[in-house]
Amino acid sequence: MEDSLLNVMEEEDTQKDKFLIFSIDKEQYGIEIKYVLEIIGIQKITEVPELPNYVKGIINLRGKIIPVMDVRLRFKKNFRDYDDRTCIIVVQIKDMSIGLIIDRVIEVVDIEEEQITPPPELNKSSSNKYIKGIGKIGEEVKLLIDCDKLLSQEELEEISY
Amino acid sequence: MSENDGRDPMLDLYILETYNLIEELEEIILESEKEKDYKNSIDTIFRIMHTIKGNSAMMFFDNISHLAHSIEDLFDYLRDNSELNVDYPAITDLILQSIDFIKNQLGKIGNNETSDGNPEELVSDIRKQLEIITVETPQESKESKNQADNEEHHYYVSSVKDCNEILEGELQNRLDIRYEVVIFFKEDCGMENIRAFTVIHRLKNLAYDIIYFPEDIVENNETEKVIRENGFRIIFSSKRDMKEIKKSFKGTAFLSKITINPVSEEESCTKIENIEEVKSSLEVVSYREPQIASKNYSSSSESQGKHNMLNVSVEKLDMLMDLMGELVISEVMVTNNPEIASLNLDSFKKSSTHLRKIIDNLQDVVMSIRMVPLAPTFKKMNRIVRDMSKKLGKEVEIVLLGEDTEVDKNIIEHIGDPLMHIIRNSLDHGIEAPEDRIAAGKNSIGKITLQAENSGGDVNIIIKDDGKGLNREKILMRAKEHGLIDKPEGELTDKEIYSFIFLPGFSTKEQVSEFSGRGVGMDVVLKGIEKVRGKVYVDSTLGKGTTITIKIPLTLAIIDGMTIRVGQSIYTIPIMSIKQSFKVNEKDVFKDIDGNEIIMVRGQCYNILRLHERYNIETEVRDIEKGILVMVENEGKSLCVFADELLGEQQVVVKPLPNYIKKVKGIGGCNLLGDGSISLILDIGGLIP
């Protein structure tokens, strides 16, 4: 038992401060690596009716059926055709797996806590609510995504009822 | 990897085993109450309490072990005095309360909470009951009177009596040899008292008149030290010779030293007196009734029948099921691979046919593993009927039929609650009070029949009571008050009226009782049953009784489906809801005032549902003559679904939609197709308005 506990701690340690960076248009976003299960290329998506536009449908991930969300549309940007650089990041949050469709995956980086500042208060509205912090690496800025809010179903419910 | 956060697997095993045991106990105890005799069941009851006691002590759940011990005492006495006048309902009450207590504690343990329930109250109740029984039997044999004393004095008995009794026993059985055994356990093995207890337990099979020291090994953990220092001393009689006795002790775990000596009768008495001396210095020696050992342990042979069963976690079965589904799909992927489709491969075809056959067999076996009989679920109803009929002052008998009918494990989980609600309702609202029943010319004892039967791909569960039946007028009135009626009263069939009772918030009972009447019950029933794609029907005759039929599918996992295409999307319709499919002429189709398309087939009118319109799917087939109509039916209502084309019939493995996607009306789940793509399964009930 202690062993497994140690393992978990070790794992958390190695995952600490690590972010997967991807881009949509010119902006770069970061997502905590502990949420990420895997990255797959774009594949055939089965549309499910009566869903909000940003939930594109479901895919078959080796026998497991998971929903996919187009992050572009979630951020209320315009739809862009999928190409060979388009990726699906499969994340797991609270026992739920979901695929996030993004333009391209860039890299995994360390961003220490001191380098992260909260997003500007003024812009709390609109799409900015999905951003929980802004990470700085040298001169570059990465927008760190709040996964819980990204998946929050409030809007989903409003639409389906 | 495993999700039980590194919990001791022993603990899981303990919880599971104890659960199974108390469930068995519940059944037996209710059975015995009915028969008013513990003769057949007492050995099993004893074995169950004994195992629970031992296991709980081993896991340091002293409260459970303590309670089990007091129950054991009670039945110990009943077993030795079978001719007693026993207050069966009172004892059953006590045992059932104890079962609830243990269940409660197990629940806490299972949730990683501390098992902190205090059984003292129950224990003292049980002791009181034991006293009542012992007092009520004045002219029992001297022996049992002694024992009654034993009970009251917690087994502290004077040595003279012991000697006399043992001597008496010895006189009857001159052939037997008396042994004295001293056991030392290996150092640091821990829990010496429990180990000693297992020794005694094992010894009971071959010996009687067992006396051991220290006595209170299970209750008193201090005895651990005594055993460690002075050894564990046992004196007993047995027909076995020295060799056999030696052999029987050899298997003891952590045994370090053992001395076995045959003793003469006089000696054994002096030995006991020796022990008595020790007792005076330690004041803990006590004496255990020799009757336990002299009764033959038939229970040990009974329990052996169960060893070829295996407990497997449902998670593993679900995994197996998932893999099975994938196997079926990949088999299709391989054998229908487009790259080899054009080749003429005779031996490949032969082998693939063989493969398909094996996979089919495998699938049957996997499905059959998941099939479990309804009996445990049914038997739980015994308890509910008993408890409720007592509280409501009604006499009700429950009859179980066809309880060995098997259904999928997942389904069983979902029908327990609905069944309970229905039975509660029957008892509370259906069955009348005894006076009313007699006045109505019925047997004063009400009767509820719970029956299961196979019918094709479904299982019917029928709950029938001979109570007063549903009051059609009252239901109609209530329905009107709630504004539930959407068509003229005259057009409502009896069945439609009765099914109002399944709507939320519907209760015709003016008074809310402890059990039902709040109107939350019956809609829970409907929801629970619908979750497993089942249906509920009600039928009733005023004054005669009510029959509720639940129709559930045998399995959830695999259905026969017809795949259809609409634009780029593929949908599956369960074959059982399809009536027919056909091409149409445009002239047969007309529109009503609201613009709904209607088609006339053999004099009947049906609404047409265009899937591409309903679900906003891009398709080129919009002309009704180019596509195809599939007539589907659900609960007597029909509808024609318009699709681009039929793709074919196949068995599909049903998977639920991911949780993230909220329920879409008309879609019941999804399944994987041979090429790895996903099709959505239409839920006809949700499509029909």
Side-chain angles (χ1 to χ4, degrees):
Chain A
M1 203 180 95
E2 279 171 21
D3 268 2
S4 64
L5 204 71
L6 261 172
N7 277 343
V8 169
M9 283 170 67
E10 218 166 77
E11 219 168 86
E12 287 208 333
D13 226 8
T14 55
Q15 289 186 353
K16 200 170 167 266
D17 294 342
K18 281 206 183 341
F19 288 84
L20 175 72
I21 305 297
F22 60 85
S23 70
I24 291 173
D25 283 344
K26 290 201 178 70
E27 281 80 39
Q28 293 197 350
Y29 299 87
I31 182 169
E32 279 166 84
I33 204 93
K34 68 173 181 198
Y35 293 124
V36 179
L37 287 182
E38 62 182 304
I39 302 165
I40 51 175
I42 193 79
Q43 47 177 281
K44 193 180 163 190
I45 297 169
T46 303
E47 280 182 43
V48 179
E50 296 182 2
L51 292 183
N53 73 327
Y54 57 83
V55 181
K56 296 306 281 184
I58 49 184
I59 59 167
N60 168 18
L61 184 66
R62 294 184 300 278
K64 205 170 146 194
I65 288 163
I66 61 168
V68 286
M69 171 196 286
D70 192 323
V71 181
R72 231 172 205 289
L73 298 178
R74 179 66 164 165
F75 290 169
K76 304 209 166 63
K77 295 174 187 293
N78 290 330
F79 180 76
R80 169 175 164 272
D81 278 331
Y82 301 144
D83 57 30
D84 54 354
R85 298 295 298 270
T86 307
C87 282
I88 300 178
I89 303 176
V90 182
V91 294
Q92 180 157 29
I93 296 160
K94 294 186 209 135
D95 292 336
M96 186 164 66
S97 296
I98 183 166
L100 304 176
I101 304 171
I102 44 91
D103 285 3
R104 53 154 67 175
V105 168
I106 299 179
E107 59 180 343
V108 175
V109 294
D110 285 303
I111 305 177
E112 277 157 33
E113 258 180 270
E114 303 85 69
Q115 301 298 316
I116 299 172
T117 53
E121 285 289 328
L122 284 173
N123 285 345
K124 267 275 152 79
S125 62
S126 75
S127 297
N128 264 2
K129 65 184 170 199
Y130 308 124
I131 307 298
K132 72 170 167 197
I134 293 166
K136 281 172 289 185
I137 302 177
E139 291 301 296
E140 277 180 76
V141 175
K142 322 273 180 196
L143 303 169
L144 306 181
I145 287 178
D146 185 332
C147 275
D148 286 338
K149 289 222 178 93
L150 191 69
L151 302 198
S152 118
Q153 304 216 354
E154 287 157 34
E155 290 165 60
L156 206 58
E157 271 167 36
E158 277 166 31
I159 289 165
S160 47
Y161 283 105
Chain B
M1 197 192 122
S2 73
E3 278 158 45
N4 63 357
D5 45 48
R7 194 161 60 183
D8 186 357
M10 277 288 281
L11 192 63
D12 281 331
L13 202 66
Y14 164 76
I15 293 173
L16 180 75
E17 196 184 352
T18 314
Y19 254 124
N20 289 345
L21 284 171
I22 52 176
E23 252 165 42
E24 194 184 342
L25 179 68
E26 190 173 295
E27 237 171 70
I28 294 170
I29 216 91
L30 290 172
E31 194 67 29
S32 314
E33 190 195 13
K34 239 184 253 167
E35 287 175 12
K36 301 231 177 294
D37 189 7
Y38 286 119
K39 208 180 273 168
N40 298 325
S41 52
I42 195 144
D43 284 329
T44 323
I45 296 175
F46 208 76
R47 170 176 61 83
I48 291 172
M49 284 337 289
H50 204 83
T51 318
I52 293 179
K53 180 175 95 171
N55 287 354
S56 307
M58 198 73 105
M59 303 300 292
F60 296 106
F61 299 124
D62 292 336
N63 47 359
I64 298 177
S65 135
H66 187 46
L67 180 62
H69 182 74
S70 62
I71 297 175
E72 209 185 9
D73 283 349
L74 177 65
F75 279 96
D76 192 23
Y77 188 77
L78 290 175
R79 178 165 64 176
D80 296 327
N81 302 281
S82 51
E83 66 279 11
L84 285 183
N85 255 335
V86 179
D87 184 1
Y88 288 94
I91 292 186
T92 309
D93 277 340
L94 279 174
I95 304 302
L96 290 179
Q97 280 167 26
S98 308
I99 287 171
D100 290 344
F101 174 84
I102 296 175
K103 263 191 197 159
N104 199 338
Q105 296 308 313
L106 285 180
K108 281 189 186 167
I109 295 165
N111 293 332
N112 285 333
E113 292 164 31
T114 38
S115 154
D116 51 3
N118 188 351
E120 269 327 312
E121 209 174 306
L122 268 171
V123 171
S124 69
D125 281 351
I126 293 169
R127 292 231 186 277
K128 254 181 237 154
Q129 184 65 36
L130 185 61
E131 267 166 45
I132 293 170
I133 297 169
T134 48
V135 166
E136 272 177 0
T137 50
Q139 60 265 42
E140 278 297 310
S141 71
K142 192 179 148 215
E143 216 182 5
S144 62
K145 211 176 173 187
N146 285 346
Q147 203 197 334
D149 290 344
N150 292 349
E151 296 293 347
E152 276 159 19
H153 296 117
H154 298 268
Y155 305 122
Y156 297 126
V157 156
S158 80
S159 65
V160 187
K161 263 186 203 159
D162 286 1
C163 265
N164 286 343
E165 261 179 40
I166 289 153
L167 275 174
E168 272 165 28
E170 288 296 302
L171 283 170
Q172 281 159 14
N173 275 309
R174 280 209 165 271
L175 280 172
D176 295 353
I177 315 168
R178 222 160 153 72
Y179 295 96
E180 191 204 2
V181 177
V182 182
I183 295 174
F184 285 92
F185 291 101
K186 283 185 186 147
E187 266 176 58
D188 308 324
C189 71
M191 291 196 291
E192 281 87 348
N193 51 334
I194 303 296
R195 294 183 199 288
F197 179 75
T198 55
V199 171
I200 294 295
H201 183 62
R202 227 186 302 159
L203 196 58
K204 280 175 187 165
N205 287 326
L206 9 128
Y208 59 94
D209 279 2
I210 305 173
I211 305 165
Y212 49 88
F213 172 80
E215 202 277 340
D216 49 347
I217 40 178
V218 173
E219 305 90 282
N220 187 352
N221 280 331
E222 291 299 302
T223 52
E224 210 176 284
K225 281 185 206 147
V226 183
I227 298 173
R228 210 173 290 153
E229 282 158 21
N230 301 332
F232 182 56
R233 184 178 295 192
I234 319 163
I235 297 175
F236 60 92
S237 299
S238 175
K239 290 196 196 307
R240 318 287 172 116
D241 63 13
M242 188 76 175
K243 244 191 197 166
E244 276 180 273
I245 297 292
K246 233 180 205 164
K247 213 170 133 194
S248 71
F249 278 106
K250 257 201 179 141
T252 312
F254 293 102
L255 195 69
S256 85
K257 202 174 103 191
I258 181 165
T259 48
I260 305 176
N261 292 313
V263 286
S264 71
E265 274 152 33
E266 297 91 271
E267 248 184 276
S268 80
C269 263
T270 48
K271 283 282 179 205
I272 290 165
E273 265 153 12
N274 280 345
I275 289 179
E276 209 52 40
E277 283 165 33
V278 185
K279 176 197 166 188
S280 55
S281 62
L282 275 165
E283 287 188 55
V284 282
V285 171
S286 46
Y287 155 81
R288 199 174 189 90
E289 328 71 289
Q291 289 94 325
I292 301 182
S294 53
K295 292 267 168 168
N296 240 330
Y297 257 52
S298 54
S299 56
S300 54
S301 60
E302 257 169 45
S303 60
Q304 264 158 22
K306 289 191 171 170
H307 285 307
N308 50 4
M309 300 296 267
L310 193 62
N311 282 322
V312 182
S313 78
V314 180
E315 263 167 50
K316 279 189 186 166
L317 284 183
D318 287 345
M319 243 152 72
L320 186 65
M321 190 63 227
D322 281 352
L323 282 173
M324 188 64 232
E326 279 176 58
L327 184 64
V328 171
I329 293 155
S330 40
E331 185 252 1
V332 177
M333 274 165 151
V334 171
T335 50
N336 294 348
N337 199 313
E339 282 168 22
I340 54 163
S342 54
L343 305 174
N344 202 1
L345 304 164
D346 269 350
S347 85
F348 176 81
K349 274 201 181 117
K350 225 166 144 187
S351 325
S352 59
T353 323
H354 191 60
L355 178 68
R356 141 101 16 117
K357 226 161 117 188
I358 294 174
I359 291 179
D360 277 355
N361 280 343
L362 186 62
Q363 192 176 331
D364 287 348
V365 174
V366 171
M367 297 308 293
S368 74
I369 295 177
R370 302 176 55 90
M371 300 300 254
V372 275
L374 281 163
T377 317
F378 272 25
K379 292 210 169 122
K380 273 188 199 141
M381 304 305 151
N382 276 328
R383 166 89 188 265
I384 290 161
V385 170
R386 181 189 177 274
D387 286 1
M388 271 189 72
S389 51
K390 268 196 148 181
K391 280 194 186 145
L392 295 171
K394 295 175 181 176
E395 277 187 71
V396 183
E397 170 196 20
I398 182 161
V399 181
L400 306 180
L401 292 172
E403 69 262 41
D404 45 2
T405 308
E406 292 185 329
V407 285
D408 193 281
K409 169 85 185 158
N410 282 343
I411 294 179
I412 291 241
E413 278 164 14
H414 283 99
I415 57 169
D417 281 355
L419 267 186
M420 192 178 75
H421 280 296
I422 293 177
I423 295 218
R424 280 185 172 173
N425 263 286
S426 283
L427 268 159
D428 203 8
H429 308 301
I431 306 273
E432 314 91 326
E435 315 85 79
D436 298 344
R437 288 185 66 88
I438 293 166
K442 293 195 225 180
N443 189 339
S444 68
I445 299 171
K447 188 170 165 187
I448 296 179
T449 317
L450 185 55
Q451 182 182 3
E453 59 183 25
N454 272 310
S455 76
D458 294 319
V459 170
N460 291 340
I461 298 176
I462 303 156
I463 305 107
K464 201 164 136 190
D465 68 57
D466 65 347
K468 57 178 177 256
L470 294 171
N471 189 332
R472 192 179 182 277
E473 300 312 313
K474 238 180 179 176
I475 294 174
L476 208 55
M477 241 172 65
R478 265 296 154 104
K480 258 192 264 172
E481 280 170 28
H482 285 70
L484 298 168
I485 299 174
D486 53 0
K487 55 176 164 177
E489 248 172 71
E491 282 179 29
L492 284 169
T493 63
D494 284 359
K495 273 196 174 173
E496 276 175 298
I497 293 171
Y498 294 142
S499 52
F500 282 134
I501 62 169
F502 290 113
L503 295 172
F506 194 91
S507 176
T508 58
K509 184 113 175 170
E510 285 81 16
Q511 225 184 345
V512 171
S513 77
E514 184 189 340
F515 301 109
S516 41
R518 288 192 187 83
V520 285
M522 290 312 240
D523 71 304
V524 171
V525 169
L526 194 65
K527 283 207 182 102
I529 300 294
E530 276 179 348
K531 237 181 235 165
V532 293
R533 295 209 311 268
K535 289 163 194 164
V536 188
Y537 305 93
V538 200
D539 203 8
S540 179
T541 319
L542 198 62
K544 288 259 174 69
T546 308
T547 306
I548 295 177
T549 308
I550 302 174
K551 209 179 179 74
I552 45 172
L554 267 178
T555 175
L556 289 177
I558 294 186
I559 58 164
D560 284 316
M562 174 71 78
T563 42
I564 57 169
R565 189 177 62 82
V566 182
Q568 293 297 308
S569 305
I570 294 168
Y571 289 85
T572 302
I573 304 176
I575 292 274
M576 57 180 181
S577 46
I578 297 182
K579 280 170 86 179
Q580 59 170 317
S581 60
F582 51 94
K583 290 262 180 191
V584 278
N585 285 322
E586 196 156 2
K587 62 175 173 24
D588 295 333
V589 179
F590 54 93
K591 282 188 180 175
D592 69 4
I593 306 156
D594 296 330
N596 296 323
E597 284 178 295
I598 290 169
I599 184 165
M600 179 96 91
V601 182
R602 287 186 294 273
Q604 288 268 348
C605 286
Y606 300 97
N607 276 318
I608 293 177
L609 177 93
R610 286 172 179 256
L611 275 184
H612 65 91
E613 278 177 9
R614 170 73 179 256
Y615 288 143
N616 221 347
I617 306 164
E618 293 275 323
T619 177
E620 279 152 18
V621 184
R622 298 182 160 272
D623 184 348
I624 199 107
E625 284 193 5
K626 291 219 172 92
I628 192 154
L629 282 180
V630 182
M631 194 193 290
V632 291
E633 188 203 56
N634 185 50
E635 288 169 21
K637 290 181 190 164
S638 297
L639 180 82
C640 287
V641 174
F642 177 70
D644 293 9
E645 61 170 336
L646 296 182
L647 294 177
E649 187 192 330
Q650 70 178 99
Q651 282 214 320
V652 295
V653 181
V654 181
K655 296 190 177 231
L657 283 176
N659 288 336
Y660 185 67
I661 293 173
K662 281 279 154 97
K663 205 178 164 181
V664 181
K665 223 173 175 193
I667 293 183
C670 56
N671 65 278
L672 297 179
L673 298 174
D675 61 355
S677 62
I678 305 167
S679 112
L680 300 174
I681 299 169
L682 292 179
D683 165 31
I684 303 304
L687 282 180
I688 297 175

